[in-house]
Structures are given as C-alpha cells and as structure tokens.
Amino acid sequence: MYINTLFNQSKPVFSLEIFPPKKDSGIDTIYQTLDNLKSLAPDFISVTYGAGASVADKSTVQIASHIKSKLGIESLAHLTCLTSTKEQVAERVAQFKECDIQNILALRGDINPDVKAANDFAHASDLVKTIKQSGDFNVVGACYPEGHYENKTLKKDIDNLKYKLDAGVTHLITQLFFDNSLFYKFLDTARARGVNVPVQAGIMPIVKVRQIERTVALSGSSLPPKFTKMISKYDTDSDALFDAGIEYAIEQINDLLAHGVDGIHLYTMNNPTVAKRVYEGILAGLKR
C-alpha cells in the first residue's frame, strides 16, 4: 500500500520511527520493541538508514520487511544518497523491491567531514528521480520547518523543496521541532508557494538531557522559552524530566491536532514506554 493514500482518511495519520541496531546482535531487541509498538496501531512505521556499509544500512531492509510481513503494518524505508554511488543505490532499491517495500523516504543525508561523499547524487531530488525510474515506488520527502541550514531564507528552502515534489514526492515529514508557531509559519508559506502535498509534523519527546546535547543540537531546532525552562528546572532530576518531556510532547501534538495537521510522525528513539505514554495523551485527538 502506498502510504500517501492514508491521507484520504478522515482521521490524522499517525506514524512512528525507529532506528536499526548498531550491531547485528541487537536485531532481536528491535523486534521486541516493534512488538510493543504494534499495540499503538500506527498507520505506518519508518526505519532509518545507516551510512554506507554500516550494520544499520544493511538491516533497514530486513526490519522494514519484518514490519510489513510479520506485523501487518505498512513500512517506510529511509534511503540516503550523499555517500552512495549509483550502483549502491540501485542495489538497495532492488532489495526493497524484492521484499515488497513500496514506500521509500528519500534523503540526501547530512554532510560529514569524516565521510567522503560519492558525488553521484547532489540533492535528494536526484535520488527521488532515480527511485521513480527504478520501479513503482511511493516516495516521501523531508522538510524543515525552520528552513535547512544551507539555505539563507525559508522561502529559498521551500523553492528547493519544490524540486522534490516535481521529481515525484507525494508527502512530506518534517524535521523535529519544538515551537509550533514556526511550523504554522512554514506551512502557510509553503502552501502559498505551491506546496500542496500532505505534511506530517515530526515530533520527538525529549526525556533525557543527553538528547539535547546530541539530537537537538545536531538538528539545529530552536528551543522556545517554555522548553528551555523545563530543561533547566529538571536537568538534575531524570525522573521529573522524563515526565515533563512527555507532557511537553503531548501538549505540542494536541495543539497541532487541534489546528488540523495532516499527521503526526513520532520519533520514538526505540523507546516503547515513551511512545505509549504520548499515544495515550493524544488518543482523543487522533479520533481512533
């Protein structure tokens, strides 16, 4: 099933994201995590992609196939291209096809000075074109509510985003964000400039201080006063921060749902407890 058709339903689309293990020995733990997440009845589950020949790179196909064939939930497999050759991408796409994975999230990938670019794909739109030429796939794209750091203005970023749509992207998932007003501004600007595909809001509950130091810092997302006040108040109380982080995500998502967002994409960080707590807090807004 092409997941873009899910947006034809009356209720908001709700999806989850997990990442593969760094070692082969961790695959069983991922399957246990997925068994726990299944009860949330997500519309689909996405699986992130590693770099080059990493274990995560290889297991993306395996996990995405497990989600679809064993759990009966549609899967969305991530695919990055910055460090991949055309031959490597072709091989991975062929594996997706062999495993009946119909949905691919096409990403350029972050520039890493320690990892050499292959120079076969300059932009995610180039990858989208290759995927569309390789088979009957539904291709999803990423977007940035605050604009990608390589673009000087939000309008310029949205103009570049349209190249993905022209190449065949059917819906978009945002980078994580913590200030809904920035998302609404992005959406209004994008719609005014011709971006008419569904846009899912990507939300990550922050339940540990180290998430700020790693994930949030790398994303470049703005931290509104309410959020920074929460972190400052509970940075030495891990249990209180865990609860406060979940409540912040619940409030953020319920506000988005009240404003008629197309869907919610929850970055679970492979933590079923967090995902379940958030799901319980937003269930009424999901109309399930």
Side-chain angles (χ1 to χ4, degrees):
M1 177 186 72
Y2 296 151
I3 59 178
N4 64 305
T5 63
L6 293 167
F7 294 94
N8 297 326
Q9 64 190 17
S10 59
K11 59 188 179 182
V13 171
F14 175 66
S15 59
L16 306 173
E17 180 166 302
I18 64 164
F19 56 85
K22 293 182 179 180
K23 298 180 180 180
D24 285 327
S25 57
I27 196 72
D28 288 338
T29 301
I30 293 297
Y31 289 161
Q32 291 171 9
T33 296
L34 287 166
D35 286 341
N36 287 324
L37 292 173
K38 182 181 179 180
S39 64
L40 306 188
D43 290 301
F44 67 89
I45 299 176
S46 75
V47 187
T48 64
Y49 191 75
S54 71
V55 171
D57 166 22
K58 297 175 183 177
S59 57
T60 296
V61 179
Q62 180 183 351
I63 296 170
S65 178
H66 175 87
I67 290 168
K68 183 169 184 176
S69 62
K70 301 299 183 182
L71 301 184
I73 299 171
E74 198 57 52
S75 60
L76 171 64
H78 293 213
L79 182 62
T80 62
C81 62
L82 185 63
T83 61
S84 298
T85 64
K86 291 181 179 179
E87 291 74 20
Q88 288 172 324
V89 166
E91 179 182 0
R92 188 63 71 228
V93 171
Q95 292 173 340
F96 289 152
K97 186 182 299 185
E98 183 179 353
C99 293
D100 194 32
I101 296 169
Q102 298 173 289
N103 302 285
I104 302 174
L105 177 59
L107 303 163
R108 186 196 67 175
D110 294 327
I111 295 175
N112 185 338
D114 298 324
V115 181
K116 185 179 179 180
N119 296 320
D120 280 357
F121 298 91
H123 308 286
S125 56
D126 300 325
L127 177 60
V128 175
K129 292 175 184 177
T130 296
I131 295 171
K132 297 296 289 185
Q133 292 167 358
S134 302
D136 197 12
F137 294 99
N138 174 62
V139 186
V140 181
C143 60
Y144 302 82
E146 300 178 53
H148 194 279
Y149 68 91
E150 292 178 23
N151 291 312
K152 294 183 178 180
T153 67
L154 179 61
K155 290 183 178 180
K156 177 62 176 177
D157 188 57
I158 291 173
D159 287 341
N160 288 334
L161 178 62
K162 290 169 66 177
Y163 289 122
K164 297 182 189 179
L165 307 188
D166 292 341
V169 160
T170 60
H171 100 263
L172 299 165
I173 299 175
T174 77
Q175 170 68 279
L176 60 92
F177 62 93
F178 303 99
D179 187 339
N180 285 4
S181 67
L182 297 176
F183 172 78
Y184 299 138
K185 177 184 177 182
F186 162 80
L187 199 58
D188 288 344
T189 306
R191 297 301 189 214
R193 299 182 77 81
V195 175
N196 54 13
V197 299
V199 178
Q200 271 187 283
I203 302 297
M204 178 183 289
I206 299 300
V207 296
K208 296 180 180 179
V209 172
R210 68 181 182 183
Q211 284 180 277
I212 300 291
E213 299 168 347
R214 296 179 184 177
T215 308
V216 176
L218 288 173
S219 73
S221 300
S222 297
L223 304 180
K226 182 178 179 180
F227 182 88
T228 55
K229 187 179 295 185
M230 175 191 76
I231 298 300
S232 298
K233 184 176 181 180
Y234 301 117
D235 63 347
T236 59
D237 188 337
S238 59
D239 291 338
L241 178 59
F242 187 90
D243 291 336
I246 289 174
E247 286 305 313
Y248 188 96
I250 289 172
E251 288 183 19
Q252 189 180 4
I253 293 171
N254 280 330
D255 179 74
L256 291 163
L257 294 172
H259 279 77
V261 70
D262 294 320
I264 299 296
H265 187 65
L266 187 66
Y267 297 109
T268 70
M269 299 303 291
N270 292 9
N271 191 324
T273 300
V274 172
K276 287 181 178 181
R277 288 270 302 273
V278 171
Y279 179 76
E280 290 167 359
I282 66 173
L283 185 57
L286 292 174
K287 303 174 185 177
R288 293 175 176 234

